[in-house]
């Protein structure tokens, strides 16, 4: 098959460090399994702002549109200037312009890694294109505005179309997993917007007779996650609730440094760690690259399905397993997990493990 073009956008602060680490692992997988992948790099974020006046220039957006897959490092969105001075959030821009409507955020307890909640294996499927996100929920203008200096208003957008397609993505996933779907909303208070989301999600779920469906209010869900996260399988919810609950779930399972995620649409997909750019530890070779490594494995799995290419699925599974096996040894962890290894040394361990697994597989 033709070589798939992967665009790497390293991002800000710890972004270049964890991107280099994750790329080292996937390049090793390409070498070992002869994967049909080639990588292109482009600058976004602060470096791009300095050079071009934009955190995500049009040329990069165009390259992303033509790529087969994207690896996005975390961006310091909070530190960017306003949009009219070039400070666009690259993640939001790409999610919208490539219609990456499903943010798939798994959280699982990892053997041997200390975690508040053991035995968890759940996936939060978060709607990615509307909700309360002021930078993406309007055709023109922004979803937040101030009629006077003392009044701030925010608009929350929920559509039947977006609710149905995120529910479908969640049901498809639940069918492949433990066949349980939890719909999370605040439909008791947001009766129209979350009422619409709940109605549409339930109607899509009704097309999946094998999937057991429940509805839980978001405040109750925050408690359930702490008390009994192990009972959940696939959780579907709107944009901001999904953002918050997935961070909570990630912390329960060992920390943000382990939280991978995929932004997926029908035609494009983008690997992106669930955490931010962590300016407090940038440039110190201390960041945990696992979240981005797991995200890249998810991207390979998505590409394998889209292009019916088994080698990519094998690579995804091997990268996942190699990372888990390295994490199992406390002496091979990064400082956020109490270990002594730097970002690049950890990635080298994963590559070494990958080579071993590839050489010994049946
Ligand atoms: P941003 O403004 O880009 O969201 P932030 O620091 O506010 O950055 P996160 O980047 O999500 O938010 O980080 C929250 C905390 O978790 C920070 O103390 C950070 O150092 C830590 N952290 C996040 N990602 C990692 C990682 N990959 N490895 C180690 N620590 C991390």
């Amino acid at each position: 098959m033709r070589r798939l073009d992967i665009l790497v956008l390293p991002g800000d602060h710890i972004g270049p460090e964890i991107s280099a680490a994750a790329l080292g692992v996937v390049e090793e997988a390409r070498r070992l399994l002869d994967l049909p992948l080639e990588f292109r790099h482009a600058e976004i974020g602060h470096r791009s702002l300095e050079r071009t006046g934009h955190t995500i220039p049009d040329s990069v957006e165009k390259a992303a549109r033509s790529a087969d897959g994207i690896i996005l490092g975390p961006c310091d969105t909070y530190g960017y200037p306003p949009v009219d001075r070039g400070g666009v959030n690259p993640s939001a821009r790409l999610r919208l312009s490539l219609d990456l409507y499903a943010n798939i955020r798994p959280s699982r307890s990892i053997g041997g890694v200390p975690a508040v909640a053991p035995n968890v294996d759940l996936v939060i499927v978060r709607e990615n294109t509307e909700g309360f996100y002021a930078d993406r929920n309007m055709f023109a203008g922004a979803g937040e505005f101030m009629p006077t200096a003392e009044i701030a208003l925010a608009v929350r957008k929920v559509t039947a179309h977006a609710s149905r397609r995120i529910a479908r993505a969640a049901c498809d996933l639940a069918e492949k997993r433990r066949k349980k779907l939890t719909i999370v909303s605040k439909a008791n208070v947001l009766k129209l917007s979350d009422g619409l989301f709940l109605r549409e999600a339930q109607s899509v779920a009704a097309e999946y007779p094998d999937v057991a469906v429940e509805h839980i209010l978001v405040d109750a869900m925050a408690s359930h996650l702490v008390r009994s996260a192990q009972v959940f399988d696939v959780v579907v919810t709107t944009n901001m609730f999904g953002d918050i609950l997935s961070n909570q779930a990630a912390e329960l399972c060992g920390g943000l440094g382990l939280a991978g995620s995929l932004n997926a649409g029908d035609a494009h997909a983008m690997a992106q760690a669930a955490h931010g750019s962590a300016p407090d530890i940038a440039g110190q070779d201390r960041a945990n690259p696992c979240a981005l490594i797991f995200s890249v494995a998810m991207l390979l799995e998505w590409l394998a399905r889209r292009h019916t290419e088994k080698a990519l699925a094998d690579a995804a599974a091997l990268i996942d397993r190699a990372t888990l096996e390295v994490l199992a040894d406390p002496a091979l962890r990064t400082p956020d997990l109490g270990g002594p290894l730097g970002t690049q040394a950890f990635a080298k361990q994963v590559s070494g493990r990958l080579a071993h697994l590839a050489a010994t597989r049946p």
Side-chain angles (χ1 to χ4, degrees), residues 59-353:
S59 58
V60 174
E61 197 178 327
K62 204 166 149 218
R65 193 178 298 285
S66 68
D68 293 293
I70 302 159
I71 299 174
L72 177 69
C75 294
D76 176 27
T77 313
Y78 204 59
Y80 293 167
V83 173
D84 58 5
R85 299 215 318 264
V88 170
N89 173 352
S91 163
R93 170 63 61 87
L94 292 173
R95 287 172 181 185
L96 254 200
S97 74
L98 305 184
D99 203 19
L100 304 171
Y101 59 84
N103 189 198
I104 315 287
R105 293 187 161 191
S107 280
R108 57 186 169 171
S109 335
I110 292 176
V113 175
V116 177
N119 307 319
V120 175
D121 182 8
L122 61 83
V123 183
I124 294 181
V125 177
R126 164 196 177 198
E127 203 291 320
N128 226 359
T129 58
E130 49 182 38
F132 253 131
Y133 282 69
D135 59 355
R136 71 199 74 161
N137 63 7
M138 292 284 144
F139 168 67
E144 248 191 331
F145 46 94
M146 295 182 73
T148 75
E150 304 295 320
I151 302 173
L153 302 173
V155 174
R156 179 166 183 256
K157 174 179 159 197
V158 175
T159 65
H161 169 67
S163 303
R164 290 187 76 79
R165 65 182 182 173
I166 196 65
R168 196 164 294 289
C171 289
D172 287 343
L173 188 61
E175 257 198 338
K176 285 189 242 141
R177 291 175 44 98
R178 302 197 308 277
K179 301 186 175 19
K180 179 173 171 190
L181 178 74
T182 305
I183 304 168
V184 173
S185 83
K186 189 71 181 168
N188 56 335
V189 174
L190 299 166
K191 289 183 195 286
L192 299 182
S193 53
D194 261 9
L196 177 65
F197 173 75
L198 177 59
R199 184 190 79 195
E200 295 303 324
Q202 284 175 329
S203 118
V204 169
E207 296 171 32
Y208 294 76
D210 296 344
V211 175
V213 183
E214 64 181 357
H215 169 234
I216 297 186
L217 294 172
V218 64
D219 43 340
M221 186 65 184
S223 309
H224 283 299
L225 276 179
V226 174
R227 198 182 315 140
S228 53
Q230 73 281 359
V231 305
F232 297 105
D233 180 16
V234 176
V235 177
V236 66
T237 189
T238 47
N239 201 341
M240 194 171 284
F241 294 158
D243 195 15
I244 297 166
L245 291 176
S246 58
N247 263 41
Q248 188 191 352
E251 276 306 327
L252 289 170
C253 292
L256 279 177
L258 300 171
S261 94
L262 186 73
N263 299 279
D266 294 328
H268 299 274
M270 177 167 82
Q272 180 183 16
H275 59 72
S277 61
D280 53 338
I281 54 166
Q284 301 168 33
D285 192 41
R286 288 173 63 83
N288 185 345
C290 282
L292 194 57
I293 295 174
F294 287 137
S295 308
V296 170
M298 293 173 76
L299 175 64
L300 295 183
E301 197 185 273
W302 185 90
L303 289 168
R305 260 183 282 122
R306 184 166 168 77
H307 299 280
T308 343
E309 177 62 47
K310 185 171 173 304
L312 292 169
D314 291 346
L318 281 185
I319 290 174
D320 202 63
R321 192 168 147 206
T323 311
L324 294 177
E325 288 188 6
V326 173
L327 278 172
D329 184 346
L332 299 181
R333 296 179 191 150
T334 45
D336 56 311
L337 300 176
L341 286 198
T343 311
Q344 308 310 326
F346 177 87
K348 281 210 175 71
Q349 289 289 335
V350 175
S351 292
R353 195 71 211 155

